[in-house]
Amino acid sequence: MNKAQLIQELTFKAVRSSGAGGQHVNKVSTKIDLSFSVEESNGLTAIEKERLYKKISHRLTKEGVLQMQCDETRSQHRNKELAITRFLSLIEDALKVKKKRRKTKPSRSSIEKRLKHKKKNAQKKTNRGKPQMD
């Protein structure tokens, strides 16, 4: 994955933010719509594209385009920076290969410790009962 190339492949669109505003709200387009086509990307290998389709398929459109939005700040440039960092972290997380889990056996001492604890608890609970009359 080449970050610089991925950033160049991003397309941005500045839109007016929704919600309550003031005097300036209808004049300035500060919200950023970021879109990235996974299929047409040259910065990703075929294997990386497959991995992305598996991991973030719920975030992709039918055409295989990832869309993100950012309207946290009043600055268009800051929103663009935030969108790019979120995009890169999303892609990095999706491309991470998880380690395979190896089955392990509990040690003999841990088994004994667990059984001792169980016996102790069982004894504690039997002692809470009514005394037996013989």
Side-chain angles (χ1 to χ4, degrees):
M1 174 184 85
N2 187 356
K3 287 183 184 181
Q5 192 169 4
L6 290 180
I7 292 171
Q8 287 176 349
E9 292 175 356
L10 296 175
T11 53
F12 299 98
K13 193 169 141 188
V15 188
R16 288 193 193 132
S17 293
S18 61
Q23 301 156 331
H24 209 52
V25 75
N26 292 328
K27 299 179 199 163
V28 183
S29 300
T30 56
K31 180 179 177 181
I32 293 292
D33 282 343
L34 173 146
S35 56
F36 173 74
S37 177
V38 176
E39 189 62 40
E40 296 172 11
S41 174
N42 296 324
L44 298 169
T45 63
I47 296 166
E48 289 174 333
K49 287 179 186 179
E50 274 183 47
R51 210 172 281 150
L52 281 178
Y53 278 122
K54 283 181 186 174
K55 296 237 182 138
I56 60 168
S57 60
H58 62 282
R59 297 195 71 170
L60 299 175
T61 63
K62 290 177 185 175
E63 296 81 33
V65 176
L66 172 69
Q67 294 180 325
M68 298 176 86
Q69 298 173 338
C70 183
D71 62 347
E72 283 184 22
T73 65
R74 289 198 228 167
S75 165
Q76 189 183 101
H77 298 291
R78 183 72 184 121
N79 282 337
K80 192 173 181 179
E81 289 171 10
L82 284 170
I84 290 171
T85 53
R86 285 184 194 154
F87 165 77
L88 290 174
S89 66
L90 176 77
I91 297 294
E92 283 176 10
D93 289 345
L95 292 178
K96 278 183 188 167
V97 181
K98 284 189 178 178
K99 280 187 185 176
K100 261 194 170 179
R101 186 184 177 279
R102 286 197 209 128
K103 289 182 182 177
T104 56
K105 218 177 184 181
S107 65
R108 185 177 291 157
S109 64
S110 70
I111 293 171
E112 288 173 7
K113 203 183 287 183
R114 181 181 62 87
L115 292 175
K116 254 187 208 170
H117 184 68
K118 281 181 77 167
K119 274 193 178 147
K120 191 177 175 185
N121 272 350
Q123 190 64 44
K124 198 189 299 180
K125 290 181 184 218
T126 53
N127 289 341
R128 288 181 191 160
K130 289 183 180 176
Q132 292 178 346
M133 302 274 190
D134 288 335

